[in-house]
């Protein structure tokens, strides 16, 4: 087990957003987290990355407790996140954004290899490497956000709604890329509104409702689960 | 024409001072969205530390005039940088998670504290810099005599600004500072230690402000514990003029404000010099609310 979240509680001020959730991820898996708006999906990812702190419970990564570590050290353990809304550094160039992805790396060789791989995955970024990130289209910004996270050479990639606001053809491209990244050996946690596509891609899934995990199953089982179909897949066939 | 060039060089020299101070306001605002009201007082501290070091160390016995000024500048910058970092640690960091107004109150408190500390240590009267540190000669160019010290001041501030610009644009830490100014959360996700970035900003800004204080002491020869107030206000104006949060903006804003003031004093009325500067500010802000180079700031929020 590469990631183990146990009884995780998170509070914003006095309001508890996560009421003790358990998530576990095996190495090499794609795990998806589904849920309605406000269910706590982003909060979960932010807690794993250390940007919000657990008020109770624990998060273990490769056996090490990471929930008390300062956020900027988490990425050095091998956890990278593509946050909701992309959050690329809009007034920096594409290249500078990518360099920041490798901020904690002291291995120029590895950075160069990563960059090459990333430009193979997203040739568009290479063409625009001198352009300010804020001037990229939404889809290109999403590619940049993913590429930037990959520059950290993570062991696990946390993706928060990577398909948000993208045209269907781009969604497919992004999902294909996620599969490719996973086949290259990376473990993936994928938060998605696009539940059907996410479940087709993932090995396993969790369903969250208002700060709790209410379902956990193999992705294929969730796809055929009537409750899931009604709530998240817009009815049935 | 002679008056024009004299006022232009004078305005640029004073503007360079404004720019150096303005950089401290703008960099801190960039990463913390906080106006460091104590920044003007760090400038004052620079001026007084310069005087103390000058009169106690006897550097003039070992070094030529330029050597003295360079060593002095480095020491003042280092010391004021330490004061700045301590200020951040004590007055701002504990309030990082609190309401924004708490930090503003803390900044005002720190300003009063520094001003009073300087007054208690050095007294309330004007202090006089030794006037024989730099040669009071003039350089003959364009058929005019321009004071050497004025040119040196302009040159020094420009060198510092270029140095800072290259540091911010070209180095890894500089890029991290820019990233933290755009989105602290995303910067942390990159593995950037944002607390450290903030500390570096509170070293650089005060170092530049302290250097400006020393330059004012050397140029005008007289310093007072309240000097940080007006210079701070002018520099803050310059930062807004250029677009607060924008580093080249602070540089341009400072130089421009200095020139406007000098020209206003020469061609309109010396008594209205400060008013003219502020009128220009108001006009520019009506036309360009984000400041001259401020678009990028607006776009990132
Ligand atoms: N910074 C914050 N301060 C206060 N409350 C917050 C904050 N961020 C999130 N919340 C609250 O926590 C709960 C979970 O939010 P979260 O963003 O994790 O949901 P989500 O599942 O990612 O939703 P969405 O699908 O809309 O992105 C919500 O009720 C939200 O209002
Ligand atoms: Mg979310």
């Amino acid at each position: 087990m590469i990631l183990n979240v146990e009884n995780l509680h998170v509070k914003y001020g006095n309001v508890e957003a996560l009421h003790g959730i358990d998530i576990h991820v095996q190495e090499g898996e794609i795990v998806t987290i589904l849920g309605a708006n406000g269910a706590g999906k982003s909060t979960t990812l932010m807690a794993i990355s250390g940007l919000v702190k657990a008020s109770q419970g624990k998060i273990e990564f490769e056996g090490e407790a990471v929930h008390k570590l300062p956020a900027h050290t988490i990425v050095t353990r091998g956890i990278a996140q593509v946050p909701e809304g992309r959050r690329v550094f809009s007034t920096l160039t594409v290249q500078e954004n990518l360099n920041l992805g490798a901020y904690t790396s002291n291995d120029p060789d590895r950075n160069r290899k990563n960059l090459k791989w990333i430009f193979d995955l997203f040739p568009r970024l290479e063409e625009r490497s001198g352009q300010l990130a804020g001037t990229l289209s939404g889809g290109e910004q999403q590619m940049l956000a993913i590429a930037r996270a990959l520059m950290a050479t993570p062991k696990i990639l946390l993706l928060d709604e990577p398909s948000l606001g993208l045209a269907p053809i781009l969604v497919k491209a992004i999902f294909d890329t996620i599969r490719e990244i996973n086949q290259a050996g990376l473990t993936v946690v994928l938060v998605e509104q696009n539940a059907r596509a996410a479940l087709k891609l993932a090995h396993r899934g969790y369903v969250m409702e208002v700060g709790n995990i209410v379902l956990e199953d193999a992705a294929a089982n969730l796809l055929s689960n009537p409750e899931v179909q009604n709530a998240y897949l817009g009815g049935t066939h | 024409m002679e008056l024009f060039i004299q006022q232009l060089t004078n305005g640029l020299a004073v503007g360079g001072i404004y720019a150096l101070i303005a950089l401290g306001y703008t960099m801190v605002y960039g990463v913390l969205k906080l106006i460091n009201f104590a920044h003007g007082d760090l400038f004052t501290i620079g001026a007084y530390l310069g005087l103390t070091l000058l009169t106690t160390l006897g550097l003039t016995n070992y070094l030529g005039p330029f050597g003295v000024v360079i060593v002095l500048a480095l020491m003042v910058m280092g010391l004021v940088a330490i004061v700045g970092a301590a200020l951040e640690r004590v007055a701002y960091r504990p309030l990082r998670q609190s309401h924004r107004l708490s930090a503003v109150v803390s900044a005002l408190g720190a300003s009063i504290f520094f001003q009073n500390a300087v007054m208690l240590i050095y007294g309330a009267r004007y202090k006089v810099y030794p006037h024989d540190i730099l040669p009071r000669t003039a350089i003959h160019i364009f058929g005019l005599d321009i004071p050497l010290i004025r040119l040196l001041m302009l040159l020094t501030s420009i060198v510092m600004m270029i140095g800072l610009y290259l540091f911010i644009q070209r180095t890894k830490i500089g890029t991290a500072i820019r990233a933290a100014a755009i989105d602290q959360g995303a910067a942390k996700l990159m593995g950037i230690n944002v607390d450290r970035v903030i500390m570096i900003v509170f070293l650089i800004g005060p170092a530049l402000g302290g250097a400006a204080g020393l330059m004012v002491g050397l140029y005008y020869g007289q310093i007072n514990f309240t000097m940080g107030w007006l210079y701070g206000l002018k520099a803050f104006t310059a930062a807004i003029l250029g677009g607060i949060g924008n580093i080249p903006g602070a540089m341009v804003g400072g130089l421009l404000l200095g020139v406007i003031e000098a020209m206003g004093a020469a061609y309109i009325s010396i008594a209205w010099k400060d008013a003219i500067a502020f009128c220009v500010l108001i006009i520019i802000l009506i036309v360009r609310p984000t400041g001259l180079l401020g678009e990028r700031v607006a776009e990132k929020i």
Side-chain angles (χ1 to χ4, degrees), chain B residues 133-197:
Chain B
I133 301 302
L134 283 169
R136 297 268 147 184
T137 50
I139 302 267
H140 199 74
I141 34 172
F142 310 126
L144 313 168
D145 288 329
I146 295 177
L148 171 69
I149 189 166
R150 188 190 287 171
L151 294 176
L152 283 178
M153 229 163 74
L154 179 56
L155 190 72
T156 311
S157 49
I158 286 179
V159 166
M160 284 186 185
M161 285 189 257
I162 292 174
L164 177 70
Y165 185 76
L166 293 177
F167 172 74
I168 293 289
Q169 288 296 323
R170 299 283 166 82
T171 66
K172 188 169 169 175
I173 297 179
T175 313
I177 292 175
R178 284 184 290 147
I182 299 168
D183 185 338
Q184 286 196 16
K188 286 180 190 167
L189 287 180
M190 303 298 110
I192 294 169
N193 184 345
V194 172
D195 279 343
R196 221 180 105 220
V197 164

Side-chain angles (χ1 to χ4, degrees), chain A residues 42 84 160-161:
Chain A
S42 300
E84 186 171 15
D160 199 342
E161 304 202 22

Side-chain angles (χ1 to χ4, degrees), chain A residues 147-227:
Chain A
R148 183 180 68 176
L150 292 177
M151 284 299 290
T153 330
K155 295 170 184 156
I156 193 167
L157 184 64
L158 313 175
L159 292 152
D160 199 342
E161 304 202 22
S163 75
L164 194 72
L166 301 189
I169 176 112
L170 258 180
V171 173
K172 187 171 176 308
I174 294 273
F175 274 57
D176 287 345
T177 308
I178 295 170
R179 181 176 290 118
E180 199 177 330
I181 291 166
N182 173 249
Q183 277 161 2
L186 219 73
T187 308
V188 174
V189 176
L190 172 66
V191 164
E192 258 303 330
Q193 294 288 344
N194 198 335
R196 189 183 306 280
L199 286 171
K200 281 185 179 152
L201 180 68
H203 303 107
R204 287 188 308 117
Y206 291 84
V207 177
M208 284 187 84
E209 266 171 27
V210 286
N212 292 297
I213 301 273
V214 293
L215 262 178
E216 171 194 352
D217 210 335
N221 296 346
L222 289 176
L223 258 179
S224 56
N225 181 321
E227 278 176 56

